[in-house]
Amino acid sequence: MTATDPAVSAGSSAPGGLVKSVVELDRVVIRLAGDSGDGMQLTGNRFTSETASFGNDLSTLPNFPAEIRAPTGTLPGVSSFQLHFADHDIMTPGDAPDVLVAMNPAALKANLADLPGGGLLILDSDEFTPRNLAKVGYAVNPIEDGSLEGWQTVSVPLTSMTLDALADSGLGKKEAERSKNMFTLGLLSWMYHRPTEGTVRFLERQFRRKPEIAAANIAAFRAGYNYGETTEAFAVSYEIKPAPMAPGKYRNISGNQALSLGLVAAAKRSGLPMFLGAYPITPASDILHELSKHKAFGIRTFQAEDEIAGIASAIGASFGGALGVTTTSGPGISLKSEALALAIMTELPLVVIDVQRGGPSTGLPTKTEQSDLLQAMFGRNGEAPLPVIAPRSPGDCFDAAIEATRIALTYRTPVILLSDGYLANGSEPWAVPAADSLPDLTGAVDFATEPNGEDGEFLPYLRDPETLARPWAIPGTAGMQHRIGGLEKADKTGNISYDPENHDFMTRTRQAKIDGIAASIGPTDVDDPDGDATVAVIGWGSTYGPIGAGVRRVRRSGRKVAQIHLRHINPFPADLGEVLGRYERVVCPEMNLGQLAMLLRAKYLVDVQSHTQVRGLPFRAAELAAVIQDVIDSTSGAPLAADPTGGGE
Amino acid sequence: MSTTEHVHDLGMPASNPIDAAIAASVTTQGEKQTALKAKDFKTDQEVRWCPGCGDYVILNAVQSFLPSLGIAREDMVIVSGIGCSSRFPYYMNTYGMHSIHGRAPAIATGLGVSRPDLSVWVVTGDGDSLSIGGNHLIHALRRNVNITILLFNNRIYGLTKGQYSPTSEVGKVTKSTPMGSLDHPFNPVSLAIGAEATFVGRAMDSDRKGLTDVLRQAAEHQGTALVEIYQNCNIFNDGAFDLLKDPTTGTQWSIPLVHGEPLVFGPDGAACVVRDEFGGLRIAETNQVDASQIVVHDAHREDSSYAYALSRLSSQDLRYTPMGVFRSVQKPTYDRMMAEQLDVAAAQGSDDLDAILGGSDTWTVSA
């Protein structure tokens, strides 16, 4: 099932004298696929929680259609959830599943091509009806025509067994059927020795107002587990030992959750009340939902009438001394462009979250992409620089949110944080930090309370000589009344100025302020264990996991490669040019058509080799390993064999 | 505003940096000054509207009446969009933001919601608020955030040099409509009432007394107040409101709105407003109707149908234009309700960061 040798351990005896063996694995990739209404995301999330609490390292990839309920049983309606878990640290949700659970023919058809030969295929045979088969163009039932012989196919009547288990529940057939996902979860929980108490508690909590539904789901869940234990259909169960992790408290966290908590933490650690102005948009809405739960932290969430009002209201709140935040995805950033420039001109702190999705226009709302980078960098009229940063993993969204806030407050500027759909919905174990270990941002607030001019007047554009930030004087502060706006400002006074020299000076000063942020960030993050690699692979954002997994494979083959990953894209770390200069070849994988590569080439005159894909899905580690390997081999001349372990992370 | 009120308003611990900054300024600058004169609201910036522009008159009226509100300058914020009228904040010695086209109500909403202790004003024009910013205007009105919106309506685009606006009359010949405008105009008062604004008034730039009276009521209103101010653009649309300004025709065609008074107008009170058979209002000759049929103005009617019917009496040629306060009703304000939600959340929950970082599902790896 995976690359490692399965170690068969002591058999266990199930009721009825059935002897079952337990196989130890180092990692597994499971994909659950079903109709949008089958509850695959919930099932996946529950399995993830069980796995997290068991102590495996994990990474997830939810994949669902933009339609809330496409017609039942059709290909466009297929929703899936992939989970990779292991007894060691892993970086991606896995290139391909080892196990595919298909709840209907559509799910089988849409996903079978991804399941390598010999993989385990679990099907709900009840759903393979002539009608359902016809919907997706199966002339013959694939369970019966031998076409699935290349896989270990286990066809199980999941629906009817669920109904049997709930015969006494008092629920109607339709309602009882809805618990088949919990039956499936029970079966998988048995197969992979997952703890079950968490799911039982979850179901009790989730349906506390509908105890009969809670009871039915729990009964189905247990029935699935017991079925696994007693059936002859599954002779083997699998054990994946907990992964060694640094001591501490952990939780499973998605990127959107981590980002939300990062913002809450940033507000708390700055002492400022937070104001979020947001308009619902996939895949960013969960941040609005999460933050709206935290009013006890003094957080105001405002569901605006449109994207423009989302950012405009946040700018208004920032002017009033709040930590202004707006969250959106690509099309929303387009709409916010003009207001972003206002925040640049008025030099107010603002945190702008762009959870990127496939574009252009409406594009692929539920799929991931990194194609807003150049829009974030340049998508405004005039010379309008602003800092751009990106998180590298779901958990890292937390730290990135705090860093975005630090920059916004310290430099009095809007900051764009580029997350993406993969980070937003994917999850991983996260070491919960202690609140008092987080950066103290109170020093970055520093409201102006006294006139700063020589004649006792307040000069709103008299800058801090070090950061070039202007004073932040908030309404309510006596003697500091001033007017700001989108028209060009005179240096120091902030009065309207059309003076050519002043405009030239102010334009360069705004640029210098952003460039100067580089002084506050660390050196480039380079992973080059021996320090003598000749090829470097550079990335930003969510490609960190797949690139890292690809790099591991390449290194296992005996080749040397450096991995450079950028948190700060504007400005770049001060030493980046020098770092890039150390390598003969630089490869840049991106989920766009080469946007970071373009920036690097323009700024450093480095012949960056761009490797791109825009499939709405993260890179596969194997693909990146092959690309990197080719570059290394074409550089050094003497090709080495491929990764002897044949994969794995 | 007292410091303790800030603490309540912001739903935060007393030590928050906003309160600290305000307290620090009181220490260095002395107590908040509320005994002010008109000149205290002037800035050192040269006013750059065209000579003769109606905006001057409005600016003077506002600066003259503001001291009577007893609000310190630093507690007042004027937010504007783009257009001639939107230069207003530069000439007011308060906090101000000259923002981007049409977005002032949204910016003011964010400010007003997060700082209920401030007096937040929006100055906008007919193009700014009804064309590019129409969406923000109606949503600000329906939410009832505590902001006061002054809509300078000159029925033309001035700053872009003379194109028709969303309040220009059908058939208007401008640079962009040489054969006459085809657009049917908005009636800003009807629009505001349709959006369920809690306060809607209309005044004339040159009528200092009437303007001041409506402005005062708008400023004292809790919730979003919209005041449409007819403003003459003497360069691109001169004389647009002469019908109402001329002493003779003005009396004939203006309907003064005074709460509690019968709607009688015109020379010698010859005309009046009565109910029509469809539940709306119509104009009648006073001597042709029984006194009991004449509508007594009630700005406080909860149901907005009456105020809406009033706003429909006038047509685009300005005949039978009601002037004054159409509607003034009390509803909870958005900012106050949000502050209350925060108070409730603070009372029921905690702001323990460690607790929410950990969430409900954690596991511990021991050394």
Side-chain angles (χ1 to χ4, degrees):
Chain A
M1 191 171 292
T2 73
T4 51
D5 297 331
V8 179
S9 66
S12 69
S13 181
L18 189 67
V19 175
K20 298 215 163 194
S21 56
V22 178
V23 173
E24 195 175 306
L25 300 175
D26 67 341
R27 63 182 194 96
V28 177
V29 179
I30 295 179
R31 185 183 295 175
L32 305 164
D35 201 63
S36 305
D38 284 344
M40 291 299 98
Q41 302 305 321
L42 174 70
T43 312
N45 279 319
R46 279 319 312 162
F47 196 85
T48 303
S49 290
E50 292 177 1
T51 296
S53 67
F54 182 72
N56 294 123
D57 195 14
L58 66 88
S59 174
T60 68
L61 176 65
N63 192 4
F64 44 86
E67 292 75 19
I68 301 303
R69 290 276 190 278
T72 312
T74 61
L75 288 171
V78 173
S79 165
S80 73
F81 187 102
Q82 185 163 312
L83 167 67
H84 182 189
F85 59 106
D87 67 0
H88 57 281
D89 75 306
I90 50 170
M91 307 187 75
T92 74
D95 286 2
D98 304 304
V99 183
L100 172 64
V101 180
M103 302 298 284
N104 65 11
L108 177 69
K109 189 152 206 177
N111 290 282
L112 186 61
D114 293 339
L115 184 68
L120 178 59
L121 179 60
I122 301 174
L123 304 171
D124 181 1
S125 56
D126 290 328
E127 289 294 319
F128 284 69
T129 60
R131 189 158 174 262
N132 285 349
L133 291 165
K135 273 186 195 170
V136 291
Y138 278 121
V140 188
N141 189 342
I143 298 177
E144 291 159 4
D145 70 356
S147 62
L148 302 178
E149 271 172 11
W151 295 274
Q152 303 174 52
T153 307
V154 186
S155 172
V156 184
L158 293 170
T159 306
S160 48
M161 283 197 294
T162 305
L163 290 176
D164 288 349
L166 301 184
D168 301 329
S169 68
L171 295 183
K173 179 167 179 280
K174 211 167 170 152
E175 236 173 341
E177 257 185 34
R178 292 172 58 118
S179 296
K180 69 182 171 192
N181 62 334
M182 286 299 117
F183 186 95
T184 311
L185 178 64
L187 173 60
L188 291 170
S189 300
W190 169 79
M191 277 181 71
Y192 293 98
H193 295 227
R194 301 293 96 182
T196 55
E197 315 81 50
T199 295
V200 172
R201 272 204 308 275
F202 167 83
L203 291 169
E204 284 168 352
R205 201 167 57 227
Q206 190 76 0
F207 298 108
R208 63 181 176 279
R209 288 196 185 81
K210 292 178 182 164
E212 71 284 1
I213 303 285
N217 276 301
I218 293 167
F221 176 62
R222 293 207 164 117
Y225 193 95
N226 295 338
Y227 167 73
E229 206 159 63
T230 52
T231 182
E232 292 181 23
F234 295 96
V236 186
S237 65
Y238 304 93
E239 217 170 55
I240 295 92
K241 293 235 161 82
M245 292 190 192
K249 187 161 80 165
Y250 287 83
R251 69 180 283 185
N252 187 55
I253 202 160
S254 73
N256 273 349
Q257 276 176 330
L259 220 158
S260 307
L261 295 183
L263 290 170
V264 176
K268 178 101 175 165
R269 298 292 288 170
S270 67
L272 293 181
M274 190 206 300
F275 178 94
L276 170 72
Y279 186 75
I281 185 168
T282 303
S285 304
D286 282 339
I287 303 172
L288 168 62
H289 304 161
E290 181 67 29
L291 288 174
S292 66
K293 293 179 201 161
H294 299 302
K295 293 183 169 59
F297 287 80
I299 293 171
R300 287 173 159 81
T301 54
F302 174 67
Q303 183 174 314
E305 59 270 21
D306 60 25
E307 293 283 358
I308 299 170
I311 185 172
S313 59
I315 290 171
S318 279
F319 186 50
L323 171 59
V325 180
T326 188
T327 52
T328 189
S329 185
I333 282 287
S334 302
L335 285 164
K336 293 181 197 298
S337 297
E338 190 193 13
L340 267 170
L342 175 69
I344 289 170
M345 203 65 161
T346 53
E347 304 195 35
L348 287 169
L350 184 71
V351 177
V352 180
I353 311 289
D354 176 6
V355 185
Q356 300 166 95
R357 66 191 216 187
S361 189
T362 313
L364 303 172
T366 59
K367 312 293 178 192
T368 196
E369 207 162 279
Q370 293 183 300
S371 45
D372 294 349
L373 176 58
L374 293 181
Q375 171 168 246
M377 288 289 296
F378 305 116
R380 294 163 293 281
N381 65 311
E383 293 287 347
L386 54 69
V388 179
I389 72 168
R392 57 169 61 176
S393 72
D396 188 47
C397 289
F398 180 84
D399 297 317
I402 295 176
E403 173 65 354
T405 307
R406 179 193 72 84
I407 295 174
L409 293 176
T410 307
Y411 294 90
R412 314 277 145 82
T413 177
V415 176
I416 292 184
L417 185 158
L418 291 174
S419 178
D420 63 34
Y422 168 48
L423 294 178
N425 293 318
S427 67
E428 64 176 358
W430 180 58
V432 179
D436 57 16
S437 71
L438 299 172
D440 179 356
L441 301 177
T442 51
V445 175
D446 187 28
F447 290 131
T449 57
E450 283 182 56
N452 53 358
E454 284 175 9
D455 303 321
E457 76 278 37
F458 176 56
L459 300 171
Y461 279 75
L462 182 64
R463 295 167 190 281
D464 179 286
E466 201 173 311
T467 60
L468 298 182
R470 73 176 192 87
W472 190 7
I474 56 170
T477 320
M480 311 289 279
Q481 296 94 287
H482 63 283
R483 277 65 55 191
I484 55 175
L487 282 171
E488 182 61 285
K489 303 281 165 289
D491 183 33
K492 298 184 182 67
T493 65
N495 292 331
I496 300 173
S497 169
Y498 302 120
D499 177 64
E501 295 308 319
N502 178 73
H503 178 57
D504 189 86
F505 174 78
M506 292 298 273
T507 302
R508 291 175 197 282
T509 302
R510 284 187 287 267
Q511 182 68 49
K513 180 174 89 165
I514 302 307
D515 292 344
I517 295 168
S520 75
I521 64 181
T524 305
D525 176 13
V526 185
D527 172 30
D528 185 359
D530 301 320
D532 58 355
T534 56
V535 173
V537 55
I538 185 167
W540 66 280
S542 75
T543 50
Y544 176 73
I547 293 174
V551 162
R552 283 186 185 179
R553 289 176 188 229
V554 170
R555 287 178 184 159
R556 271 201 300 270
S557 74
R559 295 173 176 83
K560 291 183 174 177
V561 61
Q563 183 182 2
I564 302 169
H565 210 76
L566 298 173
R567 144 94 74 234
H568 299 90
I569 300 141
N570 197 35
F572 287 129
D575 65 342
L576 182 59
E578 183 267 315
V579 168
L580 293 176
R582 288 181 215 156
Y583 300 95
E584 280 179 42
R585 302 278 291 275
V586 176
V587 185
C588 181
E590 291 179 88
M591 295 188 290
N592 56 44
L593 297 187
Q595 299 191 10
L596 176 65
M598 179 188 281
L599 295 176
L600 295 173
R601 284 170 161 263
K603 187 160 171 86
Y604 300 113
L605 292 175
V606 169
D607 185 16
V608 176
Q609 179 179 332
S610 190
H611 176 75
T612 63
Q613 74 165 33
V614 281
R615 301 168 58 245
L617 292 165
F619 279 105
R620 295 191 181 102
E623 175 196 346
L624 292 180
V627 168
I628 298 165
Q629 237 160 252
D630 283 351
V631 173
I632 294 171
D633 292 349
S634 69
T635 308
S636 63
L640 293 161
D643 174 6
T645 66
E649 284 185 16
Chain B
M1 304 274 151
S2 73
T3 311
T4 47
E5 268 185 64
H6 284 294
V7 174
H8 175 76
D9 290 341
L10 297 167
M12 296 191 56
S15 60
N16 82 72
I18 295 175
D19 284 344
I22 293 168
S25 75
V26 170
T27 309
T28 54
Q29 313 281 316
E31 284 303 307
K32 285 187 177 292
Q33 296 296 313
T34 52
L36 299 164
K37 295 195 166 63
K39 69 173 174 47
D40 295 322
F41 284 94
K42 296 187 195 308
T43 65
D44 61 356
Q45 297 298 294
E46 185 192 347
V47 183
R48 294 189 200 170
W49 287 310
C50 308
C53 177
D55 288 352
Y56 284 96
V57 193
I58 303 171
L59 178 64
N60 282 331
V62 169
Q63 287 172 334
S64 301
F65 111 97
L66 279 184
S68 69
L69 294 178
I71 299 172
R73 291 173 298 185
E74 64 268 20
D75 290 335
M76 195 173 285
V77 185
I78 301 174
V79 183
S80 65
I82 293 294
C84 294
S85 58
S86 288
R87 297 296 179 99
F88 203 89
Y90 291 115
Y91 312 131
M92 294 291 298
N93 190 359
T94 63
Y95 283 87
M97 190 190 295
H98 175 214
S99 75
I100 46 176
H101 208 9
R103 318 305 171 197
I107 292 170
T109 294
L111 179 62
V113 163
S114 54
R115 291 287 306 276
D117 56 308
L118 299 173
S119 172
V120 181
W121 298 63
V122 169
V123 174
T124 180
D126 41 318
D128 192 53
S129 66
L130 298 171
S131 211
I132 193 167
N135 198 29
H136 307 305
L137 180 74
I138 56 174
H139 288 278
L141 293 170
R142 83 175 162 88
R143 286 194 187 100
N144 203 32
V145 182
N146 193 19
I147 57 178
T148 307
I149 303 173
L150 309 185
L151 194 173
F152 294 16
N153 180 6
N154 57 15
R155 309 185 82 181
I156 200 76
Y157 279 88
L159 199 61
T160 50
K161 302 192 176 179
Q163 300 82 10
Y164 74 103
S165 91
T167 55
S168 296
E169 52 278 26
V170 174
K172 185 151 192 96
V173 174
T174 71
K175 279 184 187 154
S176 58
T177 51
M179 295 174 72
S181 158
L182 303 174
D183 290 28
H184 190 81
F186 268 137
N187 176 328
V189 169
S190 296
L191 184 80
I193 295 168
E196 309 214 13
T198 51
F199 184 101
V200 186
R202 178 187 285 145
M204 183 66 74
D205 57 359
S206 55
D207 173 18
R208 170 72 72 100
K209 185 170 169 296
L211 174 59
T212 303
D213 183 49
V214 175
L215 288 177
R216 181 191 317 285
Q217 292 185 57
E220 287 167 354
H221 177 73
Q222 291 296 309
T224 308
L226 180 104
V227 181
E228 181 191 21
I229 304 172
Y230 285 154
Q231 173 243 322
N232 191 45
C233 172
N234 57 321
I235 304 296
F236 295 108
N237 201 18
D238 196 21
F241 303 103
D242 279 358
L243 185 81
L244 301 176
K245 289 187 182 193
D246 178 274
T248 311
T249 57
T251 308
Q252 188 178 355
W253 299 116
S254 307
I255 309 175
L257 302 176
V258 182
H259 180 71
E261 296 289 325
L263 293 172
V264 176
F265 64 100
D268 305 321
C272 65
V273 177
V274 297
R275 301 198 185 284
D276 75 8
E277 56 271 40
F278 300 108
L281 301 173
R282 66 179 171 83
I283 306 297
E285 288 178 44
T286 310
N287 59 14
Q288 300 297 306
V289 299
D290 189 86
S292 65
Q293 290 179 272
I294 300 173
V295 172
V296 175
H297 182 50
D298 180 3
H300 303 325
R301 279 191 71 81
E302 193 69 31
D303 179 1
S304 57
S305 310
Y306 160 69
Y308 186 77
L310 264 185
S311 77
R312 303 315 293 168
L313 288 172
S314 54
S315 55
Q316 66 167 15
D317 65 8
L318 298 179
R319 292 185 302 165
Y320 302 119
T321 299
M323 303 294 289
V325 176
F326 286 72
R327 175 172 164 80
S328 173
V329 298
Q330 289 303 315
K331 275 189 194 166
T333 65
Y334 187 91
D335 43 287
R336 201 42 78 181
M337 289 190 291
M338 189 182 278
E340 281 166 15
Q341 285 196 344
L342 263 64
D343 287 344
V344 169
Q348 292 175 349
S350 88
D351 63 347
D352 178 0
L353 189 54
D354 283 309
I356 65 151
L357 295 185
S360 56
D361 235 350
T362 58
W363 70 95
T364 302
V365 175
S366 23

